[in-house]
Amino acid sequence: MLGLRGARVAQLPYASAAVAPTPTPSLSGFARRLPLLASAALSPLPPSFSFSSASASASASAIRRDRDPPMRPVSGALSRSRPTTRVFCSAAATAPREGKELLVQHLLVGEQDVRLLVDLEKNITTGGADLSDLAVEYSLCPSKENGGMLGWVRRGQMVPEFEEAAFGAPLNKVVRCKTKFGWHLLQVLAERDQCVVEDIPPEELHAKMQDPNFLEEAQLIDVREPDEVDKASLQGFKVLPLRQFGTWGPVMTDEFDPQKDTYVLCHHGMRSMQVAKWLQSQGFRKVYNVAGGIHAYAVKADSSIPTY
């Protein structure tokens, strides 16, 4: 099952429950969605970084719940429909969307609830119902709390059946698919080029920084604390201490352009990687993490920079 609270991790339609990105204006919100995705590019924040207790509780409840919420009975027009014998994914074959990310919402019902699935699908396609509204009422997935919204997903983060359906579905068309977690109705709301997070060797960054045009065009962010910056710093980097994320996080897209190349620096490359991944989840197209941080930069690229 896809979601955050009130469900077993084993029911997520993602390949595993290791980590995840979803669009959210806060890093604590990003933390709550970490169990959703299985991309190796996204990993949990290190123990040195603390989220609010509420975020930790929300994440923990997602993996400790030992049973699913009961289904509500269907009444009215929905109950008069009859089940269909179709059991295959109904997504139409379209472009494979390689290199794309999709904004997806869905609802999930049990494997035995084919009648309910058909009724819900009919209510959307012919009755004008909204999938998000039905997800709130009928979905077994904890994402129901957000109207079934899963956020931006990419290939390799979901089980094959769900991925095939999502990446083959026309925009805004509601399609169905079956996975080991049950039956899904899903809808692709938008697509965009896949955002990229890469490590950049300090030597390569040093070479780029010799070009005045690079310093003018690139977005350079140092997430270390002020006392660290006093000991060693690089020209052109704007200091945004990670501990002050609550201040600068919500206005990040006002201060920086998601379309421009963004470089993130810390002491050893750990904190900066976490911020780089968060920026990726916010739609920043190309984010570079300075591998090894300013320490590696001083040792490998520019010995005039102090180490500490």
Side-chain angles (χ1 to χ4, degrees):
M1 194 185 298
L2 298 157
L4 302 177
R5 297 186 288 275
R8 294 172 294 183
V9 167
Q11 292 180 313
L12 293 168
Y14 291 101
S16 75
V19 285
T22 316
T24 170
S26 69
L27 196 55
S28 62
F30 179 53
R32 288 195 295 270
R33 290 169 172 80
L34 285 176
L36 295 184
L37 304 181
S39 169
L42 295 175
S43 59
L45 289 167
S48 60
F49 188 85
S50 298
F51 291 120
S52 66
S53 58
S55 299
S57 175
S59 179
S61 66
I63 57 179
R64 286 200 293 263
R65 176 101 180 219
D66 59 1
R67 67 184 181 88
D68 297 321
M71 287 297 298
R72 297 184 181 182
V74 184
S75 60
L78 288 178
S79 63
R80 290 193 292 270
S81 299
R82 293 293 182 265
T84 179
T85 57
R86 292 180 295 167
V87 295
F88 300 106
C89 172
S90 62
T94 61
R97 288 173 168 150
E98 292 297 336
K100 297 290 185 179
E101 294 179 332
L102 307 180
L103 183 62
V104 180
Q105 65 179 1
H106 88 134
L107 64 79
L108 171 69
V109 299
E111 183 176 358
Q112 73 281 6
D113 295 316
V114 179
R115 179 190 298 273
L116 174 61
L117 177 84
V118 175
D119 289 347
L120 293 174
E121 184 176 24
K122 182 177 179 181
N123 201 243
I124 295 170
T125 57
T126 64
D130 189 274
L131 188 149
S132 61
D133 292 336
L134 295 179
V136 171
E137 185 170 2
Y138 296 105
S139 182
L140 292 175
C141 177
S143 65
K144 65 187 293 179
E145 296 181 5
N146 298 317
M149 181 61 66
L150 303 177
W152 292 97
V153 299
R154 64 183 64 183
R155 288 189 179 277
Q157 294 177 325
M158 301 160 287
V159 293
E161 299 88 349
F162 195 91
E163 178 177 297
E164 180 183 357
F167 279 84
L171 283 177
N172 297 313
K173 180 180 175 67
V174 174
V175 301
R176 73 174 70 171
C177 73
K178 185 176 184 297
T179 70
K180 61 183 179 181
F181 311 111
W183 283 99
H184 307 258
L185 291 179
L186 66 90
Q187 185 177 30
V188 177
L189 303 177
E191 65 178 67
R192 69 185 184 189
D193 291 336
Q194 185 170 306
C195 301
V196 176
V197 172
E198 296 180 6
D199 276 332
I200 181 171
E203 302 92 333
E204 182 178 341
L205 176 62
H206 180 66
K208 288 179 176 292
M209 292 185 67
Q210 309 315 303
D211 182 357
N213 292 329
F214 172 78
L215 295 176
E216 292 181 3
E217 296 172 2
Q219 301 181 135
L220 309 174
I221 300 173
D222 188 337
V223 299
R224 293 176 300 146
E225 302 305 313
D227 62 314
E228 296 180 88
V229 177
D230 289 341
K231 298 174 183 176
S233 62
L234 296 183
Q235 177 187 2
F237 276 79
K238 182 172 183 177
V239 179
L240 298 176
L242 190 54
R243 290 180 184 174
Q244 298 177 23
F245 174 82
T247 300
W248 55 260
V251 297
M252 196 65 183
T253 53
D254 296 332
E255 302 290 334
F256 294 88
D257 185 351
Q259 304 301 321
K260 290 186 176 181
D261 291 358
T262 305
Y263 297 77
V264 190
L265 173 76
C266 71
H267 191 193
H268 290 292
M270 299 297 292
R271 287 170 288 175
S272 56
M273 176 56 82
Q274 301 308 315
V275 173
K277 292 172 181 177
W278 178 78
L279 290 172
Q280 178 194 41
S281 77
Q282 301 305 295
F284 279 70
R285 291 289 181 262
K286 211 157 193 180
V287 185
Y288 295 91
N289 176 58
V290 181
I294 196 170
H295 178 82
Y297 188 94
V299 172
K300 299 180 178 180
D302 186 352
S303 59
S304 68
I305 304 296
T307 58
Y308 65 94

